[in-house]
Amino acid sequence: MNQTTTSRLIQAGFVAAVLLTWVLVTSTGLINPIFLPNPVDVMEELGQMIADGSLWADLTITLFELVLAYTAAVVSGTLIGFAVSTTRWSTRVFEPLFAAFFAIPIIVFYPLTVLYFGLGPESKIVHGGMFGFFPIALNTITGFATVDRRLLLLAASMGASPKQRFVRILFPAALPIMITGYRMGFILTFLSIIGSESIASLAGLGHRIVWYAEALETPKMFAYIVIVVLLATLLNTIVAALELRRRGA
Amino acid sequence: MAADSDSRPVTIRVEAVEHTFGGDDPAHHVRALDRISLEVFHGEMLCLIGPSGCGKSTLLNVIGGMFTPSSGRALIDGEPITRPMPAKIAYMFQESTLLPWATVLENIMVGLEFQGVAKPEREPRARVALATVNLQDFAAHFPDQLSGGMKQRVSLARALSLGTEILLMDEPFASLDEQTRMVFGEDLSQMLATTRKTIVFVTHSLAEAVFLADRVAVFTARPGSIKEIMTIDEPHPRGPDFMTTDRFARLRNSLYAQLRDEIRKAMREQQVPSTID
């Protein structure tokens, strides 16, 4: 048995153990089902939500917010990060500034965002975009600023045009660090959208989780949590697969 | 043979090149090169040797058109050099400067692309260059799958693929172990015998300079100027037997005698930042 198989088995075993504990604890009546519902009930609620279509409205809204916020973060983070990285002066000025902003819990600005953009998806998109922007911009700056100078010298000696220099040297050299930023940005954008939905919103998966928690309808709440977990796993797998393909492995 | 070599055509001419680093603030000025003039003949291997920080790499970069000296100039075939001339000059650097994300073959092809070679010609030319360094079986490998010596052979193949008349080599074997260096040296000498390339080669190694060079230019400590030019009158290809001759030992010793004082001088000035070289 090779190492990959072993670690996969341990990971699967861990998930199975958590589920098994969940089943055991709830079926013995040890815990009040209002605090922790039986997984069977949760699955039933999940089936119901899918069958009557009530899931789709919230799922679509969350995905819509996520796609727009993340796209905005990727585009603005990449462009601004690249622009900053082009001169040493602007890197010295803006890199610490962005790093300082990144260290602030941006969530403190969320009430302000709601004040400006309302309770609808707009405030989630702005807030999620802000969260995603900083790691992407910072890693883009680092990626371009740390390109091996000797490679650029070599390109110059072989007569590379500015475009060739960018396409063949700068961009591929910066990309691995940028991809780390894209992953971090993605996780933060997703987290902040679910989080802001659960703080102040009208719809979305995060909104629904809090809604059912307050109504003490925990099986429904758990059904939405399961959806978020599955969504996170799925999106993370996609991003990781893209990253792997980029490496040309 | 001195009179004979003077009649050969001059490929590179360095005229009173002087350079001071440090920009606007005179307090930080470091004089790197002190009025250097020299000629490199067509088909010749000229080694530049000298203490660390003496400006030999700086001079190489002036010849390569990588930067403009404070005063003086370098000319190639009578034409002043103001910028890199990829059609005439190929570079090979000290450490491997291969693109880690590209295969061996792609690494060579990208140089041809930069140089402006038409797309259909790139792959066949890259494969020919790989074959000359005996790495044709590694075309699809990535640089991190190769040893240090193999990486430098790819770098050499990339430089050769450009088909330039001039090759500038900045301590290309410095990061390799001694055995690999010696084999590399023999291959290079073989290449010199068959292709008449004009090569300027920066090295720290006395044995390497004597083994490879037609002439060795000995630099003084900073500010670098040329102390002496030594001729090594031995036809290429040179083999391991040349290295064991008395003449080789004598040449190596007299080279060391030239360098000793300069190295001591450089050591005394070690507090000066040595980022120049």
Side-chain angles (χ1 to χ4, degrees):
Chain A
M1 192 156 37
N2 67 35
Q3 278 204 328
T4 323
T5 330
T6 315
S7 47
R8 286 278 173 278
L9 278 177
I10 293 172
Q11 286 161 357
F14 178 76
V15 174
V18 170
L19 288 175
L20 193 69
T21 317
W22 187 8
V23 172
L24 285 177
V25 168
T26 48
S27 52
T28 52
L30 221 69
I31 286 182
N32 187 331
I34 285 193
F35 292 140
L36 189 63
N38 190 300
V40 180
D41 295 343
V42 173
M43 287 307 138
E44 264 172 28
E45 288 293 348
L46 201 60
Q48 182 73 32
M49 277 158 41
I50 293 168
D52 68 13
S54 60
L55 169 68
W56 307 123
D58 290 305
L59 185 64
T60 326
I61 283 181
T62 300
L63 282 178
F64 168 74
E65 292 165 351
L66 179 64
V67 167
L68 282 193
Y70 187 57
T71 308
V74 167
V75 172
S76 62
T78 308
L79 291 181
I80 293 174
F82 176 66
V84 166
S85 77
T86 50
T87 77
R88 246 198 261 179
W89 176 82
S90 53
T91 307
R92 248 197 345 255
V93 172
F94 290 104
E95 203 267 349
L97 205 62
F98 287 173
F101 263 103
F102 188 40
I104 297 172
I106 295 170
I107 195 88
V108 298
F109 298 118
Y110 183 59
L112 211 59
T113 315
V114 172
L115 197 65
Y116 294 162
F117 297 96
L119 284 168
E122 293 85 351
S123 56
K124 319 297 173 289
I125 294 165
V126 171
H127 189 63
M130 266 165 73
F131 255 97
F133 170 80
F134 289 102
I136 293 174
L138 282 167
N139 277 44
T140 305
I141 295 171
T142 311
F144 281 105
T146 55
V147 173
D148 190 341
R149 246 191 83 252
R150 294 166 311 162
L151 296 184
L152 296 173
L153 208 64
L154 183 87
S157 80
M158 297 191 292
S161 67
K163 188 187 152 208
Q164 287 172 332
R165 185 179 128 99
F166 182 82
V167 174
R168 294 283 182 232
I169 312 279
L170 278 174
F171 184 71
L175 197 59
I177 298 177
M178 286 164 73
I179 284 176
T180 309
Y182 292 140
R183 271 197 91 161
M184 252 158 58
F186 181 78
I187 291 167
L188 286 176
T189 303
F190 189 45
L191 179 144
S192 67
I193 281 176
I194 298 291
S196 55
E197 276 177 354
S198 61
I199 295 171
S201 63
L202 303 169
L205 297 173
H207 174 79
R208 212 49 72 189
I209 289 170
V210 174
W211 171 283
Y212 284 121
E214 283 168 359
L216 295 181
E217 292 197 50
T218 33
K220 282 194 171 130
M221 182 191 99
F222 266 81
Y224 276 97
I225 291 177
V226 169
I227 292 295
V228 172
V229 169
L230 290 179
L231 193 61
T233 313
L234 178 73
L235 294 173
N236 190 42
T237 313
I238 293 173
V239 174
L242 288 177
E243 194 176 343
L244 216 68
R245 236 188 55 192
R246 235 338 292 184
R247 293 223 172 112
Chain B
M1 295 285 282
D4 189 42
S5 55
D6 284 347
S7 65
R8 284 185 290 170
V10 172
T11 297
I12 302 168
R13 189 185 296 279
V14 175
E15 288 181 351
V17 165
E18 211 164 39
H19 193 75
T20 303
F21 284 100
D24 301 330
D25 183 0
H28 292 122
H29 277 185
V30 176
R31 283 182 74 207
L33 293 174
D34 184 19
R35 286 189 69 83
I36 292 198
S37 295
L38 64 87
E39 286 157 350
V40 188
F41 299 109
H42 176 73
E44 175 185 49
M45 163 71 117
L46 178 77
C47 271
L48 309 180
I49 196 165
S52 301
C54 71
K56 22 185 214 307
S57 294
T58 307
L59 181 64
L60 199 72
N61 288 336
V62 170
I63 296 171
M66 305 297 279
F67 80 73
T68 316
S70 311
S71 70
R73 59 179 187 168
L75 304 100
I76 286 182
D77 298 331
E79 194 189 326
I81 306 162
T82 50
R83 71 189 110 83
M85 301 170 90
K88 286 194 171 171
I89 305 172
Y91 247 98
M92 188 174 163
F93 294 95
Q94 180 172 352
E95 291 125 274
S96 156
T97 43
L98 300 177
L99 310 177
W101 55 84
T103 63
V104 164
L105 190 69
E106 286 165 353
N107 260 291
I108 299 175
M109 284 165 65
V110 88
L112 294 167
E113 183 188 339
F114 288 167
Q115 204 195 27
V117 172
K119 201 170 183 184
E121 281 177 50
R122 288 176 206 155
E123 189 177 331
R125 270 180 66 173
R127 287 199 187 274
V128 169
L130 259 188
T132 58
V133 297
N134 286 318
L135 282 177
Q136 56 273 41
D137 297 338
F138 293 87
H141 281 58
F142 283 88
D144 62 3
Q145 296 171 305
L146 305 180
S147 69
M150 286 161 95
K151 281 187 213 169
Q152 282 306 67
R153 268 153 74 195
V154 178
S155 297
L156 180 62
R158 180 171 59 189
L160 292 176
S161 77
L162 300 173
T164 58
E165 183 196 344
I166 299 165
L167 201 54
L168 303 180
M169 302 172 97
D170 193 355
E171 297 194 56
F173 311 147
S175 57
L176 306 180
D177 60 77
E178 200 188 341
Q179 305 93 292
T180 314
R181 274 175 102 126
M182 283 168 71
V183 173
F184 232 126
E186 280 177 47
D187 291 351
L188 200 58
S189 177
Q190 184 69 50
M191 195 189 87
L192 280 165
T194 49
T195 72
R196 297 308 296 174
K197 279 191 188 294
T198 306
I199 303 182
V200 183
F201 189 109
V202 172
T203 183
H204 268 117
S205 160
L206 298 164
E208 202 165 81
V210 174
F211 185 75
L212 286 172
D214 295 311
R215 288 188 306 150
V216 185
V218 181
F219 274 61
T220 62
R222 189 162 57 213
S225 60
I226 289 169
K227 185 173 187 181
E228 150 102 30
I229 291 187
M230 206 167 113
T231 302
I232 314 285
D233 195 3
E234 171 80 19
H236 290 282
R238 298 173 186 170
D241 42 332
F242 172 51
M243 235 182 266
T244 53
T245 58
D246 285 346
R247 200 155 69 87
F248 185 90
R250 274 201 309 277
L251 286 165
R252 191 185 166 285
N253 289 344
S254 67
L255 191 55
Y256 178 59
Q258 292 287 338
L259 268 171
R260 258 184 93 218
D261 296 342
E262 301 307 324
I263 289 168
R264 290 208 181 280
K265 244 186 265 172
M267 282 165 76
R268 275 198 298 275
E269 288 184 32
Q270 213 121 74
Q271 59 268 46
V272 179
S274 63
T275 50
I276 307 309
D277 195 40

